[in-house]
mmCIF file of all heavy atoms in Angstrom:
data_model
loop_
_atom_site.group_PDB
_atom_site.id
_atom_site.type_symbol
_atom_site.label_atom_id
_atom_site.label_comp_id
_atom_site.label_asym_id
_atom_site.label_seq_id
_atom_site.Cartn_x
_atom_site.Cartn_y
_atom_site.Cartn_z
ATOM 1 N N GLY W 429 40.033 2.957 -25.023
ATOM 2 C CA GLY W 429 40.902 3.089 -23.849
ATOM 3 C C GLY W 429 40.137 3.304 -22.562
ATOM 4 O O GLY W 429 40.488 2.731 -21.509
ATOM 5 N N MET W 430 39.125 4.070 -22.596
ATOM 6 C CA MET W 430 38.379 4.379 -21.342
ATOM 7 C C MET W 430 37.432 3.301 -20.952
ATOM 8 O O MET W 430 37.083 3.162 -19.762
ATOM 9 C CB MET W 430 37.586 5.696 -21.538
ATOM 10 C CG MET W 430 38.424 6.925 -21.437
ATOM 11 S SD MET W 430 37.413 8.377 -21.481
ATOM 12 C CE MET W 430 38.639 9.651 -21.052
ATOM 13 N N PHE W 431 36.903 2.499 -21.923
ATOM 14 C CA PHE W 431 35.863 1.559 -21.535
ATOM 15 C C PHE W 431 36.242 0.082 -21.720
ATOM 16 O O PHE W 431 35.473 -0.780 -21.278
ATOM 17 C CB PHE W 431 34.623 1.869 -22.383
ATOM 18 C CG PHE W 431 34.004 3.187 -22.035
ATOM 19 C CD1 PHE W 431 34.281 4.334 -22.742
ATOM 20 C CD2 PHE W 431 33.179 3.298 -20.914
ATOM 21 C CE1 PHE W 431 33.760 5.574 -22.403
ATOM 22 C CE2 PHE W 431 32.657 4.515 -20.518
ATOM 23 C CZ PHE W 431 32.939 5.677 -21.280
ATOM 24 N N VAL W 432 37.399 -0.263 -22.323
ATOM 25 C CA VAL W 432 37.752 -1.677 -22.510
ATOM 26 C C VAL W 432 39.117 -1.942 -21.909
ATOM 27 O O VAL W 432 40.150 -1.308 -22.298
ATOM 28 C CB VAL W 432 37.786 -2.006 -24.046
ATOM 29 C CG1 VAL W 432 38.072 -3.495 -24.216
ATOM 30 C CG2 VAL W 432 36.498 -1.630 -24.696
ATOM 31 N N VAL W 433 39.180 -2.787 -20.911
ATOM 32 C CA VAL W 433 40.371 -3.027 -20.100
ATOM 33 C C VAL W 433 41.499 -3.655 -20.905
ATOM 34 O O VAL W 433 42.676 -3.302 -20.756
ATOM 35 C CB VAL W 433 40.045 -3.911 -18.898
ATOM 36 C CG1 VAL W 433 41.283 -4.219 -18.096
ATOM 37 C CG2 VAL W 433 39.025 -3.258 -17.999
ATOM 38 N N TRP W 434 41.149 -4.593 -21.849
ATOM 39 C CA TRP W 434 42.189 -5.400 -22.463
ATOM 40 C C TRP W 434 42.833 -4.721 -23.729
ATOM 41 O O TRP W 434 43.650 -5.342 -24.389
ATOM 42 C CB TRP W 434 41.692 -6.790 -22.852
ATOM 43 C CG TRP W 434 40.356 -6.812 -23.549
ATOM 44 C CD1 TRP W 434 39.166 -6.973 -22.947
ATOM 45 C CD2 TRP W 434 40.100 -6.647 -24.919
ATOM 46 N NE1 TRP W 434 38.126 -6.915 -23.864
ATOM 47 C CE2 TRP W 434 38.675 -6.727 -25.086
ATOM 48 C CE3 TRP W 434 40.873 -6.412 -26.049
ATOM 49 C CZ2 TRP W 434 38.078 -6.598 -26.321
ATOM 50 C CZ3 TRP W 434 40.259 -6.312 -27.280
ATOM 51 C CH2 TRP W 434 38.857 -6.402 -27.434
ATOM 52 N N ILE W 435 42.469 -3.484 -23.998
ATOM 53 C CA ILE W 435 43.137 -2.777 -25.129
ATOM 54 C C ILE W 435 44.567 -2.500 -24.735
ATOM 55 O O ILE W 435 44.838 -1.943 -23.678
ATOM 56 C CB ILE W 435 42.388 -1.502 -25.458
ATOM 57 C CG1 ILE W 435 40.958 -1.783 -26.000
ATOM 58 C CG2 ILE W 435 43.154 -0.647 -26.508
ATOM 59 C CD1 ILE W 435 40.914 -2.565 -27.264
ATOM 60 N N THR W 436 45.493 -2.843 -25.627
ATOM 61 C CA THR W 436 46.928 -2.766 -25.278
ATOM 62 C C THR W 436 47.534 -1.462 -25.828
ATOM 63 O O THR W 436 47.028 -0.841 -26.753
ATOM 64 C CB THR W 436 47.677 -3.956 -25.905
ATOM 65 O OG1 THR W 436 47.627 -3.842 -27.350
ATOM 66 C CG2 THR W 436 47.048 -5.290 -25.541
ATOM 67 N N PRO W 437 48.706 -1.101 -25.285
ATOM 68 C CA PRO W 437 49.433 0.098 -25.796
ATOM 69 C C PRO W 437 49.749 -0.013 -27.299
ATOM 70 O O PRO W 437 49.569 0.922 -28.041
ATOM 71 C CB PRO W 437 50.711 0.129 -24.949
ATOM 72 C CG PRO W 437 50.313 -0.512 -23.658
ATOM 73 C CD PRO W 437 49.366 -1.587 -24.028
ATOM 74 N N ASN W 438 50.207 -1.203 -27.734
ATOM 75 C CA ASN W 438 50.533 -1.356 -29.163
ATOM 76 C C ASN W 438 49.280 -1.310 -30.029
ATOM 77 O O ASN W 438 49.263 -0.769 -31.140
ATOM 78 C CB ASN W 438 51.272 -2.678 -29.439
ATOM 79 C CG ASN W 438 52.752 -2.514 -29.067
ATOM 80 O OD1 ASN W 438 53.325 -1.417 -29.274
ATOM 81 N ND2 ASN W 438 53.338 -3.587 -28.558
ATOM 82 N N GLY W 439 48.184 -1.852 -29.488
ATOM 83 C CA GLY W 439 46.906 -1.804 -30.238
ATOM 84 C C GLY W 439 46.500 -0.371 -30.457
ATOM 85 O O GLY W 439 46.110 0.038 -31.553
ATOM 86 N N ALA W 440 46.576 0.448 -29.388
ATOM 87 C CA ALA W 440 46.199 1.837 -29.461
ATOM 88 C C ALA W 440 47.069 2.603 -30.445
ATOM 89 O O ALA W 440 46.609 3.382 -31.279
ATOM 90 C CB ALA W 440 46.271 2.509 -28.081
ATOM 91 N N PHE W 441 48.394 2.371 -30.387
ATOM 92 C CA PHE W 441 49.335 3.124 -31.214
ATOM 93 C C PHE W 441 49.090 2.776 -32.699
ATOM 94 O O PHE W 441 48.936 3.707 -33.522
ATOM 95 C CB PHE W 441 50.778 2.763 -30.809
ATOM 96 C CG PHE W 441 51.761 3.490 -31.670
ATOM 97 C CD1 PHE W 441 52.076 4.815 -31.444
ATOM 98 C CD2 PHE W 441 52.456 2.771 -32.692
ATOM 99 C CE1 PHE W 441 53.024 5.432 -32.249
ATOM 100 C CE2 PHE W 441 53.373 3.424 -33.469
ATOM 101 C CZ PHE W 441 53.665 4.753 -33.248
ATOM 102 N N TRP W 442 49.036 1.509 -33.018
ATOM 103 C CA TRP W 442 48.871 1.117 -34.429
ATOM 104 C C TRP W 442 47.484 1.428 -34.997
ATOM 105 O O TRP W 442 47.340 1.731 -36.153
ATOM 106 C CB TRP W 442 49.299 -0.345 -34.648
ATOM 107 C CG TRP W 442 50.782 -0.528 -34.427
ATOM 108 C CD1 TRP W 442 51.397 -1.168 -33.427
ATOM 109 C CD2 TRP W 442 51.788 0.043 -35.264
ATOM 110 N NE1 TRP W 442 52.774 -1.059 -33.537
ATOM 111 C CE2 TRP W 442 53.029 -0.323 -34.671
ATOM 112 C CE3 TRP W 442 51.865 0.839 -36.419
ATOM 113 C CZ2 TRP W 442 54.296 0.082 -35.202
ATOM 114 C CZ3 TRP W 442 53.079 1.247 -36.933
ATOM 115 C CH2 TRP W 442 54.282 0.871 -36.349
ATOM 116 N N GLY W 443 46.514 1.352 -34.093
ATOM 117 C CA GLY W 443 45.182 1.738 -34.527
ATOM 118 C C GLY W 443 45.162 3.201 -34.907
ATOM 119 O O GLY W 443 44.579 3.617 -35.942
ATOM 120 N N LEU W 444 45.795 4.027 -34.088
ATOM 121 C CA LEU W 444 45.811 5.455 -34.297
ATOM 122 C C LEU W 444 46.531 5.797 -35.599
ATOM 123 O O LEU W 444 46.106 6.590 -36.441
ATOM 124 C CB LEU W 444 46.505 6.148 -33.132
ATOM 125 C CG LEU W 444 46.154 7.583 -32.811
ATOM 126 C CD1 LEU W 444 44.652 7.828 -32.705
ATOM 127 C CD2 LEU W 444 46.825 8.030 -31.474
ATOM 128 N N VAL W 445 47.681 5.089 -35.788
ATOM 129 C CA VAL W 445 48.440 5.289 -37.040
ATOM 130 C C VAL W 445 47.589 4.918 -38.272
ATOM 131 O O VAL W 445 47.494 5.703 -39.225
ATOM 132 C CB VAL W 445 49.768 4.434 -37.022
ATOM 133 C CG1 VAL W 445 50.434 4.458 -38.413
ATOM 134 C CG2 VAL W 445 50.703 5.007 -35.974
ATOM 135 N N ALA W 446 46.947 3.737 -38.179
ATOM 136 C CA ALA W 446 46.125 3.274 -39.311
ATOM 137 C C ALA W 446 44.961 4.220 -39.610
ATOM 138 O O ALA W 446 44.676 4.529 -40.776
ATOM 139 C CB ALA W 446 45.575 1.893 -39.014
ATOM 140 N N GLY W 447 44.336 4.737 -38.521
ATOM 141 C CA GLY W 447 43.205 5.635 -38.751
ATOM 142 C C GLY W 447 43.637 6.972 -39.365
ATOM 143 O O GLY W 447 43.034 7.453 -40.281
ATOM 144 N N MET W 448 44.739 7.526 -38.875
ATOM 145 C CA MET W 448 45.221 8.787 -39.403
ATOM 146 C C MET W 448 45.689 8.650 -40.855
ATOM 147 O O MET W 448 45.357 9.469 -41.737
ATOM 148 C CB MET W 448 46.357 9.311 -38.537
ATOM 149 C CG MET W 448 45.875 9.896 -37.225
ATOM 150 S SD MET W 448 47.163 10.115 -35.953
ATOM 151 C CE MET W 448 48.182 11.336 -36.703
ATOM 152 N N VAL W 449 46.425 7.590 -41.132
ATOM 153 C CA VAL W 449 46.958 7.372 -42.484
ATOM 154 C C VAL W 449 45.789 7.124 -43.485
ATOM 155 O O VAL W 449 45.727 7.707 -44.591
ATOM 156 C CB VAL W 449 47.943 6.185 -42.524
ATOM 157 C CG1 VAL W 449 48.276 5.802 -43.972
ATOM 158 C CG2 VAL W 449 49.185 6.578 -41.768
#
Side-chain angles (χ1 to χ4, degrees):
Chain W
M430 283 187 171
F431 293 96
V432 185
V433 177
W434 48 266
I435 295 298
T436 66
N438 280 326
F441 178 77
W442 290 111
L444 207 50
V445 169
M448 285 163 64
V449 169

